[in-house]
Amino acid sequence: NSVNTDIYTPSRHDALPISDAAIQFGAALDRMSNHSPWAQYLLGECLFRAGDYKKACKAFLGICIDRDTVENPRKSVFRQPLPSIPVSYVHYSKNLPVRPRVVLYESYEGLTIRGNPRAIFEHRHLFDPHGDWLHVWVFTNEEAIPPDWKSLPNTVFVCRDSQRYLNLYATAQYTINNASIRAYIARREGQYFLNTWHGTPLKMLGKDDRTRFNGRGGSQRTFLQTTHLVTPNSHTTSVLM
């Protein structure tokens, strides 16, 4: 008996069109917690080969993060260690464009996925009727992610303080939060920060503390970065403002 030893070799016609490959590669990159210069370069190359030169340039801008040139003056940008978290955030904010139709949700500083940010996400069809926006959830504990959400299209999860978290916080057009934000985060022109503070504060959140300088600086700084604030009643508005 003869054995069929033919080996199938895919032709170039079987390959995914380069423009579709670039889309899929970009989606995969959004799901990577750590910064990968090589992956960023490959995304730029895909876009360049697809003829989308403008997006290719934006992708190439994301290859490097500002390095400590005094500590490592000769190392390749592909091998130098990452800088501190605030330096990385500032680099992304200064060098990468704001990404339209990207929404970042952070509930209770990433500790859980609930509250008003979740309610808004569950009604996302009201502002994303075609389902083509990118929805980004911040987490600190992966077990808090609802299992059935992991397969949702155009929905990604990023670990708090990861490089992808810094990248997306610096570039997402919309941010929805219900607590304080990191001290190094500063809203850019073209970004919109919605705060839906959790609950009704029966305390003064530091307003009545006369023993410490800037005792409520964290929350006040958060509200200074906020463009839109949602509160359940006038009492909450008075305490927060």
Side-chain angles (χ1 to χ4, degrees):
N1 295 330
S2 61
V3 178
N4 185 359
T5 57
D6 291 340
I7 298 176
Y8 171 70
T9 303
S11 70
R12 64 184 182 86
H13 300 292
D14 298 314
L16 194 67
I18 193 67
S19 57
D20 291 345
I23 292 172
Q24 298 302 324
F25 204 97
L29 206 60
D30 281 329
R31 288 162 172 78
M32 294 176 63
S33 291
N34 295 321
H35 176 72
S36 170
W38 283 114
Q40 198 72 39
Y41 170 80
L42 291 173
L43 173 61
E45 185 176 6
C46 277
L47 291 165
F48 179 81
R49 289 176 180 271
D52 196 337
Y53 304 121
K54 197 175 205 179
K55 286 186 179 178
C57 289
K58 291 179 181 179
F60 288 136
L61 280 173
I63 290 177
C64 323
I65 303 177
D66 289 340
R67 310 296 201 201
D68 189 339
T69 54
V70 176
E71 287 282 327
N72 302 285
R74 294 192 179 91
K75 282 194 177 180
S76 162
V77 296
F78 292 99
R79 292 194 296 273
Q80 285 198 28
L82 292 170
S84 66
I85 286 175
V87 171
S88 292
Y89 173 81
V90 170
H91 169 83
Y92 292 131
S93 182
K94 284 187 173 182
N95 294 284
L96 301 183
V98 172
R99 296 177 60 179
R101 298 188 300 179
V102 175
V103 189
L104 183 143
Y105 306 81
E106 187 170 15
S107 180
Y108 299 101
E109 300 177 348
L111 294 174
T112 185
I113 295 180
R114 54 182 178 147
N116 290 324
R118 176 167 180 160
I120 294 172
F121 174 78
E122 290 177 339
H123 289 80
R124 60 193 179 280
H125 63 278
L126 296 175
F127 58 89
D128 179 18
H130 302 294
D132 56 356
W133 290 37
L134 178 65
H135 301 270
V136 181
W137 270 98
V138 175
F139 71 90
T140 56
N141 178 12
E142 193 172 351
E143 294 180 358
I145 302 173
D148 56 324
W149 284 22
K150 294 181 180 180
S151 59
L152 288 176
N154 298 325
T155 302
V156 302
F157 303 90
V158 297
C159 185
R160 198 171 198 235
D161 292 332
S162 66
Q163 287 294 319
R164 189 58 52 187
Y165 168 85
L166 303 175
N167 181 308
L168 289 166
Y169 230 120
T171 59
Q173 185 176 17
Y174 303 99
T175 296
I176 299 172
N177 202 315
N178 68 350
S180 296
I181 59 176
R182 290 296 200 196
Y184 53 79
I185 290 173
R187 177 176 51 83
R188 305 165 56 184
E189 184 177 354
Q191 286 189 307
Y192 300 90
F193 283 14
L194 168 64
N195 193 288
T196 64
W197 193 262
H198 52 280
T200 298
L202 301 179
K203 51 188 179 180
M204 297 302 292
L205 297 179
K207 267 189 176 180
D208 55 347
D209 187 353
R210 301 291 186 267
T211 63
R212 292 185 301 153
F213 173 73
N214 200 26
R216 64 192 301 261
S219 59
Q220 285 299 88
R221 186 190 50 76
T222 293
F223 296 128
L224 286 173
Q225 300 298 330
T226 297
T227 57
H228 297 76
L229 176 66
V230 176
T231 63
N233 49 60
S234 58
H235 168 76
T236 301
T237 304
S238 174
V239 172
L240 296 182
M241 295 290 100

